Amino acid sequence: MTAASRTVRVPAKVNVQLAVGPPRADGFHDLANVFLAVALYDEVTATEAGELSVGCTGPGSELVPTGEENLAVRAALLLARHHGRDPAVRLDIVKDIPVAGGMAGGSADAAGALLACDQLWGTRTPHEELLAICAELGSDVPFSLIGGAALGEGRGERLTRLPVSGTFHWVFALADGGLSTPAVYQECDRLRADAEVPAPLPDPALLKALAAGDPLALAPTLANDLQPAALSLRPALAETLKAGVAAGALAGLVSGSGPSCAFLAADAEAAAAVADALAGSAHCRTARATTGPVPGATTIDSHA
Ligand code: C5P
């Protein structure tokens, strides 16, 4: 007999605006974080098992921890504790989102594991409780659950959905190796040590361009306060950004804490051309054309 399982597919994200405030007493930073979910996906399958374990396949999966520091494992443990039940489950992650790429891959796996376990276990956790567990797992995890487009405030976990018209076309230049998110935030603080850092606010022009579905209006508003820090730690990314724009992108920016770079294209054709040019260049490991917004964590398969 086949063991019961549930599979959930979870998108990557790009931060179209990431405004970072001064460091808080708890070590986090207040953000105005405009998230857009894009159609690059990890899949998480939860299968009935006698004990809690995790496996991971796909590019970069050797970099993903398989102990209790794995975010999918932590998600299963938190959900089990929330319901006072045994956390025994087998989690299998198929990665397509770059590992440590600034595209919320770990957060996607956490949100996927949470939803897959909730369905497998029949615990029927109310949405607000799932979001609270997500926030405990990481600042970006609530967004991985809901997807679409949203403004994240606080440390990024307090979400307000944003209206978006149509579909935006993106290209991601994927780098070899990752960047550590805490290291990038630390470098950001170091670079701004003598500056007066304002409270982070969303840019009204950017929100208007998203709502209008207008890539030409969105391009000049793309902004990431972590970009100088990512470039300081990985200077070669400046060349990647130039190469994407030279290949026809409307604009480019470092995705989240990097090192993936995101490029906005006018349409699908332009995106394909930018992806081809970047993939054939020395500026990145590979390049992927994709679109957003797309829905968040979604069940794709089930066996009873
Ligand atoms: O919340 P998450 O585990 O994704 O955060 C990873 C690290 O990124 C934190 O430990 C912190 O160093 C940094 N961070 C931050 N401010 C935020 C979100 C993350 O400083 N709003």
Side-chain angles (χ1 to χ4, degrees), residues 181-268:
T181 302
V184 175
Y185 273 100
Q186 263 174 35
E187 180 67 359
C188 176
D189 291 339
R190 193 185 69 78
L191 292 174
R192 305 192 305 187
D194 298 325
E196 191 63 43
V197 179
L201 288 173
D203 174 358
L206 177 135
L207 300 183
K208 195 172 159 208
L210 281 177
D214 183 346
L216 290 175
L218 184 62
T221 67
L222 297 176
N224 179 1
D225 284 353
L226 292 181
Q227 182 162 311
L231 293 181
S232 166
L233 296 175
R234 194 72 75 83
L237 294 179
E239 298 307 315
T240 312
L241 291 173
K242 275 190 214 152
V245 173
L250 297 173
L253 83 174
V254 170
S255 178
S257 55
S260 303
C261 291
F263 298 93
L264 179 64
D267 53 32

Side-chain angles (χ1 to χ4, degrees), residues 13 65 68 74 77 80 95 126 135 211 214 219 221 259 268 275 289 292 304:
K13 58 87 184 163
E68 289 203 3
R74 287 186 49 211
L77 284 167
K95 289 219 68 81
D214 183 346
T221 67

Side-chain angles (χ1 to χ4, degrees), residues 50-156:
E51 60 182 37
L52 177 56
S53 68
V54 65
C56 188
T57 57
S61 53
E62 67 284 355
L63 302 171
V64 175
T66 50
E68 289 203 3
E69 67 277 33
N70 183 292
L71 270 180
V73 169
R74 287 186 49 211
L77 284 167
L78 267 187
L79 185 69
R81 199 175 70 196
H82 185 77
H83 292 289
R85 58 157 289 141
D86 182 356
V89 69
R90 168 69 186 178
L91 297 170
D92 286 290
I93 302 168
V94 180
K95 289 219 68 81
D96 195 31
I97 304 174
V99 177
M103 297 182 67
S107 302
D109 301 344
L114 202 58
L115 195 59
C117 288
D118 192 45
Q119 297 191 352
L120 181 72
W121 293 340
T123 33
R124 296 174 178 274
T125 313
H127 188 65
E128 288 305 315
E129 289 174 28
L130 279 181
L131 281 175
I133 296 173
C134 286
E136 213 172 312
L137 289 162
S139 309
D140 290 353
V141 183
F143 178 73
S144 296
L145 188 73
I146 73 164
L151 170 65
E153 294 173 293
R155 60 184 167 85

